[in-house]
Amino acid sequence: MALTTNKAVLDWIDEMSKMTTPDKIVWIDGSKKQIADLEKEACLTGEIIELNQEKLPGCYYHRTAVNDVARVEHRTFICAPSKEEAGPTNNWMDPKEAYKMASEIFKGSMKGRTMYVIPYSMGPVGSPFAKIGFELTDSIYVVLNMNIMTRVGQAVCDTLGNSTDFVRGLHSKCDIDEEKRYILQFPQDNTIWSCNSGYGGNVLLGKKCFALRIASYQGWKESWMAEHMLILGIENPKGEVKYVTAAFPSACGKTNLAMMIPPEGYTSKGYKVWTLGDDIAWLRVGPDGRLWAVNPEAGFFGVAPGTNMKSNPNALLSTEKGTIFTNVVLKPDGTVWWEGLDKNPPTDALDWKGNPWDPASGQKGAHPNSRFTAPAKNCPCIAKNWEDPAGVPISAIIFGGRRAKTAPLVYQSRDWDHGVFVGSIMASETTAAASGAVGVVRRDPMAMLPFCGYNMGDYWQHWIDMGKEIKNAPKIFNVNWFRLNENGKFMWPGYGENFRVLEWIIKRCEDQVDANVTPIGFVPKAEDINLEGLDYTIEGDRKFDIDALREILTVEKEYWMEDVKSIEEFYAKFGDKLPNELKSSLETLKKNFN
Ligand code: OXD
Ligand code: MN
């Protein structure tokens, strides 16, 4: 039975079902009973496999098609009225053409299947930050994942009432045909169409498609921001908590930072880190003139390989119940494994493709992009206030990337506009670590390259404009955990030791510590980063000490001048859309070095 009488919702569902012709339509209320019934049904068809319920209560296993294991950026389109509105960093398709082309693909795609209608809220239901979406899908796997990643059910429909302000998401697995796989965003229509995929990032429409691509556009129009950022709280021994957000390109350890455990020397004094989100932050200016953040999601869709009790115990512990594992190794006892979980790869297990797997074969058992979908509430360090409808006030915004030589361990921008520049020049290098060579630089502004729903030049201007509205703006920093020595070895230990850098950041926010003025901004004085109790040997080299710290705090003209060239090339793509503030920050950077 429909959960709403909202005519706009019902008319749209009617239209979509006439196109996709499902055998029946089922509304998802997210009740325990309904979810359990769907789990049972999906187990019968083999869509999911029940895991060992003693060891992993409420956990299930899923394999995607072999050709369908990751987001498909080259088949993701921003269907804005003009190419210019999508900008030079997005694929663009004319909306009329996109609807026409995709309608052909969707035509009859749900014949013989059920269409599930998922009403969901991004953000705590009823929060001033929250936005509502509906996803129509023919996949129970999608329903079960959305039920973890978002808030689903009747309360969402009640909150929407008769409003037409909801995101219309349509997903069909169709035939999982790579050649007909499209992820289409229509920001002006609040609409998302996704076909021929069953992989999370392409089909959990609340996540990247809505909470970043569509929401970034909504934020532009409505004076708020949707960002690819984790949110964490840092509690000092007095019990005071400061909140920061951080944006990193994929594979830079965002989930690890979001759930980090400070070094022993800090925890014993009473310092704590609290997780509020690991991937997306929605930010609004509060009545106090500060920037406030909410995590629109309710779960973690994390990369499994490399997650272990050392790298990220909190993530691993989050997956002990109510979790869906996708494309990992399935052990004979109904538990799971992946590369980097421990040093005991199972024998007699099935790999992510479902074939018997021999760990000695040299083949990976889990797909490198295999995932866990875990409820955020499972996380041992989830902040008590992570669902506060008002969000949390942000003291600092941290950008970062993977740079072998260019960026120091940490630096602070001179002011908001300069901070926007720092975010706009974010980049990661492909690791050519072994030779110590500087890899290929991929520019990924604010880590939003694949997720910005409109012209990136307009997006930067929006950041600049927001700065004028935030009276007490967060300070903006850049970190680089990945500096290499001449032998191509990581100089900084990373993980929990990153807390030492967070401590400096918070001190800067509170004017407690001085810094060196450099051409790129404020860089710490080495003695202001606490190294007490740090016991780390740079691989095959020496113990990390204050001299090593000095080395990774250097700002070298040679590398920055290289970078300036690459920034100029990148900026040139944006023509008139490049904000003057960024142009002048780049000029200042050059001037400062000369
Ligand atoms: C993700 C990503 O899956 O950023 O979160 O790629
Ligand atoms: Mn992400």
Side-chain angles (χ1 to χ4, degrees):
M1 216 188 49
L3 299 183
T4 180
T5 53
N6 182 315
K7 189 164 172 338
V9 173
L10 299 179
D11 286 352
W12 164 70
I13 294 174
D14 197 42
E15 193 189 334
M16 295 302 105
S17 64
K18 282 193 172 116
M19 175 168 68
T20 54
T21 64
D23 285 10
K24 62 176 182 175
I25 297 178
V26 171
W27 283 71
I28 300 301
D29 61 19
S31 67
K32 271 210 170 88
K33 159 108 178 58
Q34 186 184 42
I35 294 300
D37 287 347
L38 287 171
E39 285 164 350
K40 228 177 266 157
E41 187 180 334
C43 283
L44 283 175
T45 61
E47 188 176 353
I48 60 173
I49 295 170
E50 188 180 68
L51 292 170
N52 184 323
Q53 294 299 299
E54 245 157 66
K55 293 181 175 160
L56 293 169
C59 293
Y60 292 87
Y61 178 91
H62 173 77
R63 289 189 188 97
T64 64
V66 177
N67 75 12
D68 187 27
V69 292
R71 287 187 291 103
V72 280
E73 288 178 17
H74 63 295
R75 306 196 69 96
T76 298
F77 292 82
I78 300 299
C79 307
S82 70
K83 184 166 168 52
E84 201 197 355
E85 284 160 278
T89 55
N90 281 315
N91 299 314
W92 174 78
M93 213 187 282
D94 176 74
K96 266 201 218 82
E97 267 170 46
Y99 282 128
K100 187 160 167 259
M101 181 236 6
S103 295
E104 283 304 310
I105 298 173
F106 276 112
K107 203 153 124 195
S109 66
M110 295 192 190
K111 199 166 166 18
R113 301 181 187 175
T114 300
M115 173 192 274
Y116 300 96
V117 179
I118 313 170
Y120 66 94
S121 174
M122 298 312 291
V125 180
S127 153
F129 286 75
K131 292 264 178 193
I132 287 172
F134 285 78
E135 177 162 355
L136 311 180
T137 179
D138 53 8
S139 157
I140 296 181
Y141 172 74
V142 167
V143 173
L144 299 177
N145 274 272
M146 285 293 283
N147 190 49
I148 296 172
M149 294 303 295
T150 74
R151 286 100 174 159
V152 167
Q154 184 66 57
V156 175
C157 293
D158 296 345
T159 303
L160 182 67
N162 282 322
S163 167
T164 56
D165 183 14
F166 61 92
V167 170
R168 294 140 176 85
L170 173 66
H171 164 250
S172 174
K173 292 178 287 188
C174 303
D175 311 309
I176 313 287
D177 178 349
E178 273 176 290
E179 303 299 320
K180 292 186 182 163
R181 186 169 298 153
Y182 290 98
I183 318 299
L184 308 172
Q185 279 78 193
F186 303 84
Q188 283 74 8
D189 300 346
N190 264 349
T191 295
I192 305 159
W193 283 14
S194 163
C195 51
N196 277 296
S197 175
Y199 168 76
N202 299 326
V203 301
L204 308 179
L205 301 186
K207 194 175 178 61
K208 303 297 190 183
C209 304
F210 178 174
L212 288 176
R213 297 196 190 100
I214 298 284
S216 61
Y217 176 83
Q218 294 176 328
W220 179 34
K221 295 294 161 187
E222 300 166 7
S223 260
W224 55 281
M225 305 162 91
E227 298 298 332
H228 192 198
M229 290 176 174
L230 64 87
I231 312 169
L232 64 78
I234 299 159
E235 181 174 338
N236 71 16
K238 285 188 262 177
E240 298 159 343
V241 187
K242 302 281 172 202
Y243 300 94
V244 308
T245 63
F248 301 100
S250 304
C252 286
K254 212 149 111 244
T255 303
N256 290 347
L257 184 66
M259 300 179 192
M260 69 130 77
I261 298 174
E264 223 298 294
Y266 286 93
T267 49
S268 62
K269 289 199 187 88
Y271 286 92
K272 291 190 188 102
V273 167
W274 299 106
T275 306
L276 290 102
D278 79 325
D279 197 38
I280 300 175
W282 283 2
L283 303 139
R284 284 177 183 268
V285 185
D288 59 356
R290 288 191 290 176
L291 194 61
W292 291 66
V294 146
N295 171 12
E297 302 189 283
F300 309 124
F301 183 63
V303 175
T307 307
N308 59 54
M309 278 312 274
K310 242 183 109 185
S311 66
N312 194 338
N314 288 316
L316 195 59
L317 295 170
S318 303
T319 67
E320 285 185 334
K321 56 182 183 210
T323 294
I324 301 171
F325 296 92
T326 302
N327 290 346
V328 298
V329 173
L330 179 58
K331 290 167 62 172
D333 68 347
T335 63
V336 292
W337 191 86
W338 49 77
E339 278 71 18
L341 175 65
D342 55 39
K343 297 212 166 76
N344 312 308
T347 47
D348 304 325
L350 299 179
D351 69 9
W352 69 275
K353 296 179 185 167
N355 298 322
W357 179 60
D358 174 6
S361 67
Q363 304 277 338
K364 289 210 186 328
H367 188 277
N369 191 35
S370 54
R371 298 276 174 155
F372 53 79
T373 316
K377 63 175 191 286
N378 282 2
C379 183
C381 59
I382 195 79
K384 285 175 238 25
N385 55 344
W386 77 283
E387 297 196 276
D388 189 332
V392 294
I394 299 303
S395 299
I397 293 174
I398 303 171
F399 295 121
R402 187 182 275 272
R403 303 305 301 265
K405 295 284 182 196
T406 314
L409 177 64
V410 55
Y411 70 101
Q412 182 189 354
S413 72
R414 288 183 290 274
D415 53 30
W416 178 270
D417 285 357
H418 179 231
V420 178
F421 171 74
V422 169
S424 79
I425 65 166
M426 260 174 72
S428 254
E429 285 155 23
T430 51
T431 36
S435 63
V438 175
V440 181
V441 178
R442 185 204 199 221
R443 299 234 94 81
D444 189 353
M446 283 84 170
M448 284 288 278
L449 188 70
F451 305 121
C452 184
Y454 58 109
N455 191 307
M456 184 75 77
D458 289 325
Y459 166 80
W460 288 331
Q461 187 62 53
H462 178 48
W463 265 82
I464 301 278
D465 295 343
M466 285 298 295
K468 299 186 179 81
E469 288 189 34
I470 315 168
K471 270 200 288 338
N472 299 308
K475 304 278 189 279
I476 301 181
F477 299 80
N478 190 85
V479 298
N480 176 23
W481 315 133
F482 302 98
R483 281 276 285 246
L484 302 180
N485 67 9
E486 43 308 322
N487 303 319
K489 302 298 182 201
F490 289 117
M491 292 196 61
W492 176 250
Y495 298 104
E497 306 298 344
N498 293 336
F499 189 82
R500 300 171 189 276
V501 174
L502 295 183
E503 183 184 38
W504 182 81
I505 287 173
I506 295 299
K507 280 188 180 162
R508 284 296 293 171
C509 293
E510 307 198 314
D511 280 329
Q512 286 179 21
V513 62
D514 213 2
N516 291 324
V517 178
T518 78
I520 63 167
F522 302 113
V523 172
K525 296 179 189 295
E527 53 281 10
D528 288 335
I529 292 190
N530 177 22
L531 296 183
E532 205 183 300
L534 174 59
D535 182 16
Y536 172 65
T537 303
I538 302 164
E539 197 188 325
D541 201 342
R542 58 188 160 128
K543 278 228 168 225
F544 190 90
D545 58 11
I546 191 153
D547 290 324
L549 176 59
R550 278 197 186 95
E551 276 176 51
I552 59 174
L553 288 173
T554 55
V555 176
E556 285 167 55
K557 182 172 171 180
E558 174 197 351
Y559 296 114
W560 279 92
M561 285 300 135
E562 285 267 321
D563 219 36
V564 162
K565 270 190 272 168
S566 127
I567 296 165
E568 280 173 335
E569 264 169 49
F570 184 60
Y571 273 3
K573 294 185 188 172
F574 297 91
D576 294 348
K577 291 275 189 194
L578 182 68
N580 288 328
E581 288 81 352
L582 300 191
K583 254 182 256 173
S584 70
S585 281
L586 183 57
E587 288 315 309
T588 307
L589 179 68
K590 285 197 274 188
K591 206 174 70 215
N592 287 351
F593 271 111
N594 288 318

